[in-house]
Amino acid sequence: MDINDFIISKADIINEALTIYLPAKEEKPKALHQAMGYSVLAGGKRLRPVLTLMVANLLFKKKEEEVLPAAIAIELIHNYSLIHDDLPCMDDDDYRRGKLTNHKVFGEGIAVLAGDALLTYAFELITQLEGDFTPKQVIKVTKEVAKGAGHQGMIGGQGADIVAEGETVSEDELEYIHNHKTGALLKTAVRVGAILGGANNEELTALTTYAHNIGLSFQIIDDILDIVGDEEKLGKDVGSDIDRDKATFPAIYGLEESKRMAKDKIQEAKKILSIFGDDAEPLIELADYIVDREY
Amino acid sequence: MDINDFIISKADIINEALTIYLPAKEEKPKALHQAMGYSVLAGGKRLRPVLTLMVANLLFKKKEEEVLPAAIAIELIHNYSLIHDDLPCMDDDDYRRGKLTNHKVFGEGIAVLAGDALLTYAFELITQLEGDFTPKQVIKVTKEVAKGAGHQGMIGGQGADIVAEGETVSEDELEYIHNHKTGALLKTAVRVGAILGGANNEELTALTTYAHNIGLSFQIIDDILDIVGDEEKLGKDVGSDIDRDKATFPAIYGLEESKRMAKDKIQEAKKILSIFGDDAEPLIELADYIVDREY
């Protein structure tokens, strides 16, 4: 199966699970539940939860359903961060995935709360792993997700990003922002799959390095797409980073050097997976897929 | 010891623990860490974590430090909800506890993120209970907190509250909002203490009823204080509920009937604790303390 079709088939599993796990729209409090579902079900590649499933599959051959609560939790956290990120007080974006952003439809107050609710619900979902995994694994996943999404992880990166807006940013600072803002949760997605798959230390370290490199590459390419991408394909405003004078790789290194850096990171990511032999083929193809997104 | 002094002595334990558990202000990302600490360390009665300590103490005689990660987690969640609640898109409050609100000092973007970070960090803290409690207890606490703070709990109440603003609200709807917005997290604080204290089903049920009643009473009195309270003592704007045409008990039942309802709920709360005998004395006094706050 071609990697595009492979990812779509995994994303379909996630999409189906999302409709099951999300609270029903008709259920009270309705506005909140509608807002939660609106953004989460608006589509997206489901890259993070797909990574969780793929890594768990690489290490053990259990049923995918067992890993789903954790994979869905990570996707909910990703979506909450987008809802808050789109707010007028943050990136002030009107469109996301070709649809109006959450606050444009439901108002800012409900959008803030919908984000809060998705984040909180993610931790409730993780406790549903109990039964299929040991209590210690469940706690380890909780800790991993809280750290990856928290003040030293994703939110830390967003905080540094806001402060950096309009400032001259050093190379180190730019890497900090990107490693945390995008990288942290991708890393969490991979590590949670590894923890649930029963990875040993060597395997966990290798997969963490893989995640680190594809995460950074992913963000570099996002920066590039913001400059040269096709507005219609991306489903969001292009050039908005420049408008806001944001810290980006092309702004510091230029377009060509940024492209080269993204490719280098992907090479590193692929190399580290050699310890898994042929079983790592899907993860290797996924790395190529990330760097080959349309410029 | 008089109940005021008793609560202050417990709150001191919480305040000291907060300074230890919160990330250092000097640590990167600085703005985010400063914003997290600013609101959390601005004071407050620490009613929720004090309840957690008191209930755990009622049921077992372990060292208080062991319960602290859970108590602190609940206080962080309470504080994050206040930060988001004060935002211009929500209640739009400039002052809280006599100090400028978070977004007034750090800007709205960082205020949103500081709230997000506190919520996320709360779940990381809960995992630190491991070692002193069984893994199953840790997962049970995680689930309890996620539900109490989530879309069917505290956030659900806030969502319903926003929608109700400016609308005519039924008695049922008002009770739903208050039970969830304020009641849910108070109940969680009590139930987490009970879970960690090893409560049996009868004890857990009694303590849940206690929490339900003091929670509702607490919110009724908050509504009353918003009308007749002393602005200086409360440290926040008085009359802001009326200004925003918010659903409140006095608005529906009138002032006198609301006072009577608050007192009735407290009587019910005290009665249910009889199964614990004299050991429940501090919790009984705490119930009186809540209803005797200055009108």
Side-chain angles (χ1 to χ4, degrees), chain A residues 11 20 36 49 72-73 129 172 176 179 212 217 224 234 251 281-282 289:
Chain A
I20 294 164
M36 289 168 78
I72 296 300
L129 294 167
D172 282 355
Y176 174 91
N179 270 339
H212 173 81
S217 177
I224 295 173
L234 290 172
E281 199 50 46
Y289 164 86

Side-chain angles (χ1 to χ4, degrees), chain A residues 43 54 119 198 243 262 287:
Chain A
M54 285 172 74
L119 171 58
D243 294 348

Side-chain angles (χ1 to χ4, degrees), chain A residues 13-294:
Chain A
I13 296 170
I14 299 299
N15 286 327
E16 201 193 322
L18 281 169
T19 62
I20 294 164
Y21 281 111
L22 277 171
K25 279 192 300 193
E26 307 75 33
E27 214 174 279
K28 203 173 158 68
K30 281 188 200 173
L32 186 69
H33 288 168
Q34 280 166 14
M36 289 168 78
Y38 174 81
S39 290
V40 174
L41 301 177
K45 292 203 182 58
R46 312 301 186 196
L47 185 60
R48 290 155 194 80
V50 166
L51 271 168
T52 305
L53 295 188
M54 285 172 74
V55 171
N57 271 337
L58 168 70
L59 295 162
F60 74 160
K61 302 289 172 204
K62 286 174 101 173
K63 282 180 290 183
E64 253 160 5
E65 297 98 83
E66 295 178 355
V67 188
L68 278 175
I72 296 300
I74 291 167
E75 182 64 12
L76 296 187
I77 289 177
H78 173 55
N79 277 274
Y80 115 75
S81 78
L82 298 180
I83 294 173
H84 283 188
D85 215 34
D86 287 337
L87 288 168
C89 64
M90 308 269 278
D91 280 0
D92 193 16
D93 279 316
D94 293 351
Y95 289 93
R96 159 84 59 190
R97 294 168 184 156
K99 291 177 71 179
L100 284 171
T101 44
N102 202 288
H103 63 272
K104 280 284 171 189
V105 177
F106 298 95
E108 284 179 52
I110 289 288
V112 170
L113 295 177
D116 295 344
L118 289 169
L119 171 58
T120 312
Y121 185 47
F123 287 101
E124 186 183 335
L125 270 184
I126 290 169
T127 66
Q128 291 188 19
L129 294 167
E130 212 186 1
D132 290 320
F133 298 93
T134 68
K136 278 185 179 296
Q137 275 177 308
V138 178
I139 296 170
K140 217 169 166 183
V141 167
T142 306
K143 191 179 290 182
E144 190 71 37
V145 171
K147 279 179 184 278
H151 64 103
Q152 303 277 31
M154 181 183 75
I155 293 291
Q158 289 190 300
D161 194 20
I162 286 190
V163 171
E165 222 164 285
E167 304 276 324
T168 310
V169 167
S170 69
E171 295 173 13
D172 282 355
E173 184 68 13
L174 178 67
E175 190 148 339
Y176 174 91
I177 291 171
H178 281 4
N179 270 339
H180 289 77
K181 195 178 165 173
T182 314
L185 198 62
L186 273 169
K187 201 185 283 180
T188 297
V190 166
R191 284 175 59 91
V192 164
I195 291 165
L196 295 177
N200 62 31
N201 282 342
E202 189 202 3
E203 290 167 337
L204 187 60
T205 306
L207 286 163
T208 304
T209 304
Y210 168 80
H212 173 81
N213 283 307
I214 64 167
L216 201 48
S217 177
F218 186 83
Q219 185 61 50
I220 295 172
I221 288 170
D222 242 24
D223 284 356
I224 295 173
L225 287 176
D226 190 73
I227 296 176
V228 299
D230 178 331
E231 204 150 314
E232 207 164 311
K233 267 184 197 139
L234 290 172
K236 64 177 184 182
D237 301 340
V238 160
S240 54
D241 287 349
I242 302 174
D243 294 348
R244 281 194 309 279
D245 200 8
K246 289 200 84 153
T248 70
F249 275 86
I252 288 191
Y253 296 99
L255 211 54
E256 286 314 308
E257 175 65 9
S258 296
K259 283 185 193 177
R260 202 192 51 72
M261 286 169 75
K263 281 185 180 149
D264 281 357
K265 298 284 171 199
I266 291 297
Q267 286 312 315
E268 285 177 47
K270 288 158 68 173
K271 207 172 127 197
I272 198 86
L273 293 185
S274 58
I275 62 164
F276 297 104
D278 290 348
D279 290 345
E281 199 50 46
L283 287 172
I284 287 173
E285 289 188 30
L286 184 114
D288 283 327
Y289 164 86
I290 285 176
V291 82
D292 288 339
R293 288 192 292 162
E294 282 185 29

